């Protein structure tokens, strides 16, 4: 038998707390040379901004269905972009951003159960 997210509110709260803490990457300086840079056709500033926006919206409540699709596509974009980043710091920065987006998507998946 599969348990619903509402049956384990402490699990959801732990995920939300983790998302809140993971968003600390926002305190990291933006990678030098990545403003205005496209990697694999993706504007790196917009990728960063989209990640922050989705994380904030997930922390404030469930996403509407169209936004959930956008969040899932965002996570997929990181799969293309990360291997193409040759800068060590930028790779770390965007890996943290990807982790934030993936956790936000996981939270939304649990909410949808």
């Amino acid at each position: 038998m599969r348990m619903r997210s509402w049956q384990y509110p402490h699990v959801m709260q732990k995920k939300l707390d983790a998302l809140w803490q993971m968003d600390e990457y926002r305190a990291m300086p933006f990678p030098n040379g990545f403003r205005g840079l496209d990697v694999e056709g993706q504007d790196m500033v917009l990728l960063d901004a989209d990640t922050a926006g989705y994380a904030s919206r997930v922390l404030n409540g469930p996403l509407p269905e169209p936004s959930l699709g956008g969040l899932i596509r965002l996570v997929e974009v990181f799969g293309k972009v990360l291997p193409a980043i040759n800068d060590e710091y930028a790779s770390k920065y965007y890996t943290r951003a990807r982790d934030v987006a993936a956790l936000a998507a996981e939270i939304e998946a649990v909410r949808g159960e």
Side-chain angles (χ1 to χ4, degrees):
M1 182 171 116
R2 187 175 183 139
M3 296 300 199
R4 302 283 186 205
S5 61
W6 56 266
Q7 292 173 305
Y8 289 99
H10 64 281
V11 172
M12 179 59 84
Q13 189 57 52
K14 282 185 176 187
K15 288 183 183 299
L16 288 167
D17 290 346
L19 181 59
W20 184 260
Q21 291 171 0
M22 288 182 80
D23 199 35
E24 291 175 355
Y25 93 92
R26 302 289 305 148
M28 296 171 67
F30 191 80
N32 286 333
F34 277 72
R35 288 195 198 289
L37 181 66
D38 281 8
V39 175
E40 295 296 316
Q42 178 63 48
D43 181 298
M44 299 308 284
V45 172
L46 288 177
L47 182 63
D48 184 53
D50 286 347
T51 300
Y54 278 114
S56 177
R57 290 176 66 197
V58 167
L59 285 168
N60 289 316
L63 292 177
E65 194 64 35
S67 294
L68 178 56
L71 177 56
I72 291 167
R73 284 188 298 281
L74 178 68
V75 174
E76 292 169 354
V77 166
F78 279 107
K80 292 188 323 185
V81 168
L82 283 173
I85 297 175
N86 295 323
D87 178 272
E88 184 179 343
Y89 176 79
S91 180
K92 179 180 175 183
Y93 183 90
Y94 282 104
T95 296
R96 297 274 304 180
R98 185 234 18 233
D99 293 347
V100 166
L103 181 57
E106 182 180 331
I107 289 167
E108 286 303 307
V110 170
R111 282 179 174 153
E113 291 181 346

